[in-house]
Amino acid sequence: MAQSVKGMRDLFGAELRWFQHIEETARRVFGRHGYGEIRTPILEELDVFKRSVGESSDIVNKEMYQFTDKGGREVVMRPENTAGVVRAAIQHKLLQNNDPVLFYYIGQQFRYERMQTGRYRQFWQIGAESFGVATPESEAESLLMLHSFLTELGLKSLVFSINSVGTPESRPAFHAAFRAFFAQRADRFCEDCHRRIETNPLRVLDCKNERCQAALEGHPVITDHLDEASARHHARLKVLLTELGIPFEENPRLVRGLDYYTRTAFEVLSSDLGAQSALLGGGRYDLLVKHLGGPDVPAFGWAIGLDRLAMVLQQVRGEAPAPAPALLIPLGERAMLEALKLARTLWDAGVALQLETRGGALKKAMTSANRLGIQTVLILGDGELEGGTLTVKHMATGEQESWPVSEAASRLAARRD
Ligand code: AMP
């Protein structure tokens, strides 16, 4: 029997209902902030990710679904969506007028990852990107939107963890202080960190190795080495978050490793996930658009994993809300046509209804109804046709009653399964 490809799964039933609920909430909340959806292709040219995600990253080095197409192009199944959105915005000249441009996306991403719980090779992300505004106010706007999104989904005790990584101009001052600190205790850091301190010192700060984290105790803090404008930006963001009542904490080890990331970096933690577990991350990337060949346009954005979010919601809220349809079972040939007509009236009135179209015995239809979890069964046989009624069976209690056909729509709409 054929199986789905390793790391790729089919979505249906209860899990998919959470996906749908999350997507609907995202569209509603982002739409009211003025963000428009963008859908970019799954395949992008290799260069897009080499230049954005970075040639030294694990994603580009080890995890990309990369191949040569029949025309000899080096293409990649996107491992994330920001690079594609920036590529599209440049290609279609959407960033030429200095207007703010606000986009969100919902889509599948692909990474050839080692299998572990909650990690897949095809997974979904929802993200929002705002282009053209460099102010801390634009960050507050985006974080407020994110806060509403997560709150409306029912997540509690959200904490925004923030930091500033300054600018490429101000970073050498921090690097010097940090390298001096590292040199004094170099033997306590892992091999990877020894490589990082040469090539990309900020990445030492978020090394996953516990010994390295312990060795970092008392490390110099980037926010003490910011240029004046970045320091003002960071201070202003903290004022805004305080004024808006968005709970935040400063995390001097929260970094983004690539040069085009500037100033604000953030993660969101939720008590629903247990201690120290981040739900998502994002930040400012003022230099990426130019780096990918576009105009000099600042940007801020974030991405959240939909698979993980659905799993958390299932854990804290149980099954996704799912109004089960009623089932209409016609008995006999004449009733079948009448049932189609009645079902049409009910569908047009907005009632969720499944129609049994196999014909045949009631017993078979009732067995299927049970297996499908149907709560309300409507039976239309010759007797009912004569009397203009429906026999209604409530599956949970086994109770049976008779409804006038004319009242079916309103009674079904009022029912709570
Ligand atoms: P990243 O792009 O690595 O910063 O990840 C952003 C979000 O995508 C995180 O919230 C993760 O939950 C999610 N994510 C990343 N990789 C995977 C994966 N392999 N499977 C499921 N979710 C993922």
Side-chain angles (χ1 to χ4, degrees):
M1 188 176 28
Q3 302 281 317
S4 62
V5 173
K6 188 171 176 190
M8 314 225 167
R9 65 216 172 103
D10 305 304
L11 290 169
F12 54 91
E15 188 177 21
L16 184 61
R17 278 203 298 281
W18 271 124
F19 270 64
Q20 290 169 326
H21 179 71
I22 293 166
E23 289 167 20
E24 281 159 20
T25 308
R27 290 179 200 287
R28 185 177 68 244
V29 175
F30 304 168
R32 77 185 182 226
H33 275 246
Y35 284 63
E37 186 177 356
I38 184 164
R39 298 187 193 185
T40 63
I42 283 169
L43 290 187
E44 293 280 354
E45 289 187 2
L46 172 62
D47 202 42
V48 170
F49 300 108
K50 271 198 174 169
R51 283 167 52 185
S52 59
V53 181
E55 281 188 76
S56 65
S57 69
D58 275 1
I59 295 181
V60 168
N61 270 325
K62 303 185 202 147
E63 297 172 359
M64 286 202 304
Y65 279 89
Q66 177 181 338
F67 59 94
T68 312
D69 75 4
K70 289 193 168 71
R73 287 173 209 89
E74 275 295 309
V75 293
V76 173
M77 290 168 77
R78 64 184 185 202
E80 58 89 56
N81 222 152
T82 299
V85 171
V86 173
R87 195 266 314 133
I90 296 169
Q91 181 176 336
H92 303 290
K93 301 193 171 28
L94 305 177
L95 307 175
Q96 305 294 331
N97 301 327
N98 284 327
D99 294 328
V101 173
L102 307 172
F103 278 129
Y104 75 89
Y105 59 81
I106 301 177
Q108 54 273 73
Q109 320 297 334
F110 302 83
R111 292 183 198 170
Y112 198 84
E113 288 213 48
R114 217 164 38 80
M115 298 307 296
Q116 45 182 308
T117 336
R119 306 296 277 189
Y120 306 98
R121 291 179 176 173
Q122 173 177 257
F123 62 99
W124 292 72
Q125 284 184 341
I126 296 186
E129 320 281 2
S130 86
F131 296 100
V133 194
T135 61
E137 284 74 11
S138 76
E139 297 169 11
E141 181 277 326
S142 177
L143 297 183
L144 262 182
M145 178 169 88
L146 179 54
H147 189 268
S148 306
F149 170 53
L150 297 174
T151 308
E152 287 185 28
L153 284 174
L155 290 175
K156 290 193 227 56
S157 311
L158 301 168
V159 175
F160 286 64
S161 182
I162 63 167
N163 195 18
S164 174
V165 295
T167 61
E169 292 77 39
S170 65
R171 232 165 276 149
F174 170 73
H175 285 170
F178 188 56
R179 284 200 172 107
F181 169 86
F182 187 94
Q184 283 167 4
R185 57 195 69 208
D187 54 328
R188 296 176 57 192
F189 286 94
C190 72
E191 224 174 278
D192 282 344
C193 282
H194 279 265
R195 196 172 33 76
R196 290 181 188 123
I197 196 73
E198 298 304 325
T199 56
N200 196 346
L202 286 186
R203 291 258 62 149
V204 173
L205 288 169
D206 71 350
C207 178
K208 299 285 172 287
N209 189 320
E210 277 175 29
R211 286 189 55 227
C212 296
Q213 284 298 317
L216 280 167
E217 180 74 36
H219 68 86
V221 170
I222 321 174
T223 43
D224 290 340
H225 294 82
L226 293 178
D227 57 286
E228 210 189 308
S230 296
R232 245 185 291 122
H233 184 104
H234 190 56
R236 176 69 179 160
L237 177 63
K238 289 192 285 183
V239 168
L240 295 173
L241 295 181
T242 308
E243 289 288 326
L244 293 165
I246 294 189
F248 70 93
E249 60 189 26
E250 290 205 68
N251 177 359
R253 295 189 192 176
L254 203 168
V255 292
R256 319 228 100 202
L258 296 162
D259 269 358
Y260 59 80
Y261 284 116
T262 50
R263 298 186 174 162
T264 307
F266 79 95
E267 284 182 347
V268 181
L269 315 173
S270 163
S271 65
D272 292 321
L273 287 180
Q276 292 308 313
S277 193
L279 195 55
L280 80 148
R284 177 161 287 289
Y285 52 97
D286 283 351
L287 305 175
L288 180 61
V289 180
K290 194 158 180 214
H291 187 70
L292 282 179
D296 191 2
V297 167
F300 181 83
W302 45 263
I304 185 164
L306 193 40
D307 306 74
R308 177 116 193 265
L309 188 53
M311 194 173 79
V312 172
L313 289 176
Q314 177 118 29
Q315 276 163 15
V316 300
R317 290 184 53 191
E319 292 285 295
L327 179 70
L328 176 57
I329 306 175
L331 298 177
E333 213 170 299
R334 194 159 70 91
M336 184 63 92
L337 176 60
E338 291 308 314
L340 270 166
K341 289 181 179 167
L342 172 61
R344 181 194 207 174
T345 313
L346 294 173
W347 287 325
D348 290 349
V351 172
L353 180 81
Q354 213 167 308
L355 180 62
E356 173 61 82
T357 50
R358 289 176 297 183
L362 178 62
K363 188 157 180 277
K364 185 165 127 192
M366 292 302 280
T367 307
S368 296
N370 255 324
R371 276 203 290 258
L372 292 170
I374 301 272
Q375 297 293 311
T376 310
V377 170
L378 313 174
I379 300 164
L380 185 67
D382 286 340
E384 286 84 2
L385 278 176
E386 292 297 315
T389 60
L390 289 164
T391 298
V392 180
K393 183 156 179 156
H394 301 283
M395 302 294 271
T397 57
E399 263 171 71
Q400 208 160 294
E401 58 180 330
S402 177
W403 290 358
V405 171
S406 56
E407 288 178 19
S410 57
R411 289 194 186 211
L412 284 169
R415 119 204 112 108
R416 291 185 189 281
D417 281 350

